[in-house]
Amino acid sequence: MLLEVRNLTVRFGGLEAVKNVHLDVFEGEILSIIGPNGAGKTTLINAVTGFLRPNGGRVVFDGIDVTGQSPHEIAFRGAVRTFQQNQLFWKCTVWENVVVGSHLLWGGRRMLRGVVQSLLPAREGVQAAAAWEASREALAIVGLNDRCDVEARNLPHGEQRLLGIAIALAARPKLLFLDEPVGGMTAAEAERVMGLIGDIRRRGVTVVLIEHNMNVVMRISDRVVVLDHGEVISQGRPEEVQRDPRVIEAYLGRW
Amino acid sequence: MSRRAVRGRYIAYACLLAAVVIGPKWLGPYDRHVLVLGVLNSVFALSVNFTLGYVGQPNFGQALFFGLGAYTSAILTLRYGVSFVTSVAAAALVATVAGIAFGPVVLRLRGAYFCMVTIALTQAFMLVSQNLVDLTGGPMGLPGIPRGEILGLRLEGYNFWLLALLVLAVTLLATWRFQHSVVGRAWIGMRESETLARSVGIDTYSYAVLAYVIGAFFAGVAGGLHAHYTSLVDPNVFGFSWSSLAVVATVLGGGGTVWGPVCGAMAITLLPEYLRLAEMWRLPIFGLFLIAVVVGMPEGLIPVLMKRRLKAGPRFSSQGG
């Protein structure tokens, strides 16, 4: 098991945004977390990736308890995320964006060594070659390799979303969280992204997809977890979840 | 660009460099004095560029390290008679240690809060320097610091120009190397989006402290040299005007670039001096120049003049120069 979430709880004052969530992610799968707006999907991801400190529960990634660790430590373990509200290095070019994304492959975790290396005149080693390759590959996967010299802020919205995914891929994650990657995209663009997620999985990256639109994820997910008011109300194979009366109620309301 | 054009360009650069190095030999003492001050201010501006330009945090307290460096080398030279090189090295060391001590605290904060704390720290040191009369000479400061010598060479006139240029060259080289390394990319990443930087594994807090400490080192060097050059240190080295000089120079020339701070520091050192020709209009003209740059080129002079980018080959730059 790649990721185990146990009894995870996040409170904002009196509001329990995530209640006692139990979640497993298996290596190599595409797991979708769906739920209506405000169900706590993004809060859950924030708590798992270290952007929020959970009020209770445990997160175990790749056999290591990472509960309460910083995002950069969790990224180092191999869990990287994208953002619903797209985050990019706006004034940098597409290429610069992915190169910053490959920070860890440059040995960026050992900061003082990086300082010494940057000051001493040395040839770029094997490590650098691997890092450049990761950046090139990340752009190739999302299909932005011919847009290298465009500044991120000047890209159209759809390509900005793709660049967000490429930055995460450049870090060579084991587990990739995609927070509503098709938000604001046209139907054709969204279709392309779904194909892309399949490609990513085929390269050995486990994907957790967060989405509020149920239909988008049904075809590509191996398993689906449904969240409502911070609680897991249903999980299983897509067709099982789709038939679950609690899920239908959460989406359509009771009548 | 053809090979020939490239070679022509290098020849042009070499000529320019030679003119900059040798030219001031024949300048009058006043002109050379202004140029030396411009170069020292450039080193100081480059020192704030790490936090201000690359990490993108409004550091208005760089005079803290400049002042510590200046006082360190003044006290060591006057009281203990140490050599020039030792006193400047000690200035750099003291400033770096101060950076290591304060950096982890002030960089818990960001933006306006960070800015206020950096100012407050500098003001605190100004009060200390005014009141610790036995050590610092109080408000009168420490006059009569000798220029000193290196390997028997007296650092007078043209010699000091060469030394200042050498220090500037080292500072520029370090800035350039950092910008094109994993360190500089981490800084630029956190400037553009700290959230995203953290998500791809950048320890933004540590990298910000690193920028602060590196800046402290170079500010300490600039302060130590300045003390020897002007022969006087007084509590004004901790003044807000010193900190803002570095900030204005960096913003004017272009933060997060290698040449921007130099360009800006030269402009704000030389312009007011030579505008003395029109004494009445000196400050208004200078003010209008600043406004024009801020309005017309908000990213600074350098990024507008030369926009260079990381091509999909193995190089990286933030915004030129």
Side-chain angles (χ1 to χ4, degrees):
Chain A
M1 208 179 309
L2 192 57
L3 178 76
E4 298 168 53
V5 177
R6 294 285 172 267
N7 302 325
L8 199 74
T9 301
V10 180
R11 273 188 290 271
F12 298 123
L15 176 80
E16 278 198 311
V18 172
K19 284 180 217 165
N20 245 342
V21 166
H22 237 67
L23 193 73
D24 293 325
V25 181
F26 299 97
E27 203 152 346
E29 72 173 343
I30 297 179
L31 172 73
S32 292
I33 300 177
I34 64 169
N37 285 320
K41 304 180 296 284
T42 297
T43 307
L44 174 64
I45 293 318
N46 282 341
V48 170
T49 54
F51 281 89
L52 271 178
R53 193 174 280 273
N55 298 87
R58 275 192 324 135
V59 179
V60 178
F61 177 72
D62 212 8
I64 296 161
D65 190 334
V66 296
T67 320
Q69 286 191 359
S70 308
H72 66 88
E73 287 166 323
I74 293 171
F76 171 72
R77 307 265 172 236
V80 177
R81 60 163 309 170
T82 65
F83 296 86
Q84 184 180 2
Q85 206 66 40
N86 213 6
Q87 298 277 342
L88 296 173
F89 304 122
W90 298 105
K91 282 195 253 168
C92 296
T93 63
V94 167
W95 175 244
E96 288 164 351
N97 267 270
V98 287
V99 174
V100 177
S102 66
H103 175 81
L104 288 169
L105 284 90
W106 287 95
R109 196 172 142 83
R110 304 175 69 179
M111 188 176 76
L112 294 178
R113 207 174 115 185
V115 172
V116 174
Q117 271 177 354
S118 56
L119 289 178
L120 295 179
R123 292 187 146 250
E124 287 184 340
V126 187
Q127 193 182 33
W132 290 127
E133 185 50 36
S135 303
R136 264 190 288 273
E137 200 183 282
L139 278 188
I141 294 171
V142 303
L144 284 178
N145 33 3
D146 53 347
R147 306 283 272 158
C148 279
D149 297 330
V150 184
E151 279 186 31
R153 57 180 167 176
N154 295 333
L155 288 174
H157 177 79
E159 290 185 341
Q160 286 184 343
R161 306 288 316 187
L162 288 175
L163 179 57
I165 298 173
I167 293 168
L169 284 175
R172 287 265 162 92
K174 289 180 195 152
L175 174 59
L176 177 63
F177 293 97
L178 297 171
D179 196 350
E180 303 212 1
V182 299
M185 282 188 171
T186 63
E189 283 172 331
E191 194 61 30
R192 211 177 122 207
V193 171
M194 289 303 138
L196 173 65
I197 293 170
D199 289 345
I200 293 170
R201 187 252 296 268
R202 247 167 272 132
R203 287 166 184 269
V205 181
T206 308
V207 179
V208 173
L209 175 62
I210 294 133
E211 188 47 64
H212 72 272
N213 183 344
M214 192 155 35
N215 298 324
V216 174
V217 301
M218 285 304 164
R219 262 181 307 125
I220 63 160
S221 311
D222 298 309
R223 287 193 308 130
V224 176
V225 170
V226 187
L227 222 57
D228 190 28
H229 297 296
E231 287 175 295
V232 177
I233 58 168
S234 176
Q235 58 179 313
R237 290 208 308 279
E239 56 278 13
E240 292 168 7
V241 165
Q242 234 166 349
R243 283 195 302 266
D244 190 323
R246 282 170 300 177
V247 176
I248 296 167
E249 187 189 310
Y251 268 84
L252 300 177
R254 200 193 296 267
W255 67 79
Chain B
M1 210 178 338
S2 77
R3 211 142 160 204
R4 201 159 155 194
V6 172
R7 202 193 312 151
R9 216 167 164 182
Y10 279 124
I11 292 172
Y13 283 148
C15 292
L16 188 66
L17 182 68
V20 168
V21 173
I22 305 170
K25 196 168 179 140
W26 294 286
L27 283 180
Y30 173 71
D31 293 321
R32 194 160 55 208
H33 173 69
V34 176
L35 283 178
V36 170
L37 287 181
V39 169
L40 293 182
N41 288 344
S42 299
V43 175
F44 184 38
L46 281 164
S47 81
V48 83
N49 189 30
F50 293 106
T51 36
L52 181 76
Y54 288 103
V55 175
Q57 290 300 318
N59 185 349
F60 275 78
Q62 197 66 3
L64 170 60
F65 305 115
F66 185 88
L68 279 176
Y71 268 107
T72 303
S73 71
I75 291 167
L76 286 180
T77 307
L78 292 174
R79 304 264 151 105
Y80 304 99
V82 305
S83 72
F84 175 85
V85 174
T86 320
S87 87
V88 175
L93 182 71
V94 168
T96 309
V97 169
I100 294 170
F102 298 131
V105 181
V106 296
L107 282 155
R108 295 251 167 231
L109 304 167
R110 292 281 184 274
Y113 302 100
F114 169 78
C115 177
M116 287 190 290
V117 173
T118 57
I119 294 172
L121 260 180
T122 318
Q123 294 296 312
F125 271 82
M126 189 169 180
L127 286 176
V128 170
S129 67
Q130 276 166 352
N131 294 300
L132 214 62
V133 180
D134 289 343
L135 191 64
T136 63
M140 302 294 291
L142 296 168
I145 308 158
R147 283 277 169 86
E149 53 186 52
I150 293 179
L151 304 171
L153 265 178
R154 300 269 309 132
L155 291 170
E156 297 293 346
Y158 180 62
N159 287 348
F160 207 99
W161 167 252
L162 289 181
L163 175 76
L165 269 192
L166 183 68
V167 172
L168 176 61
V170 170
T171 316
L172 280 170
L173 187 66
T175 305
W176 180 74
R177 293 290 303 194
F178 279 129
Q179 180 177 308
H180 294 283
S181 75
V182 65
V183 176
R185 290 194 289 264
W187 290 337
I188 292 166
M190 72 176 287
R191 177 187 72 201
E192 295 300 319
S193 168
E194 183 156 1
T195 311
L196 180 59
R198 295 172 73 198
S199 81
V200 293
I202 298 175
D203 179 357
T204 54
Y205 172 67
S206 302
Y207 272 95
V209 172
L210 175 70
Y212 191 75
V213 172
I214 292 171
F217 171 84
F218 285 110
V221 172
L225 290 177
H226 198 268
H228 281 285
Y229 186 67
T230 57
S231 83
L232 169 78
V233 179
D234 66 39
N236 283 326
V237 290
F238 289 116
F240 182 72
S241 54
W242 261 116
S243 292
S244 50
L245 173 109
V247 172
V248 172
T250 303
V251 171
L252 182 70
T257 67
V258 176
W259 286 99
V262 179
C263 191
M266 282 298 176
I268 63 172
T269 314
L270 302 191
L271 270 184
E273 287 298 333
Y274 291 107
L275 287 176
R276 280 183 203 284
L277 297 174
E279 188 61 45
M280 277 273 288
W281 295 100
R282 185 165 83 102
L283 293 177
I285 291 175
F286 185 57
L288 284 175
F289 169 71
L290 286 186
I291 293 171
V293 171
V294 169
V295 171
M297 319 176 183
E299 290 183 2
L301 295 165
I302 286 287
V304 173
L305 296 178
M306 37 200 265
K307 200 140 192 156
R308 249 191 247 148
R309 285 303 191 167
L310 174 68
K311 295 295 169 210
R315 277 278 172 257
F316 187 98
S317 76
S318 73
Q319 23 183 260

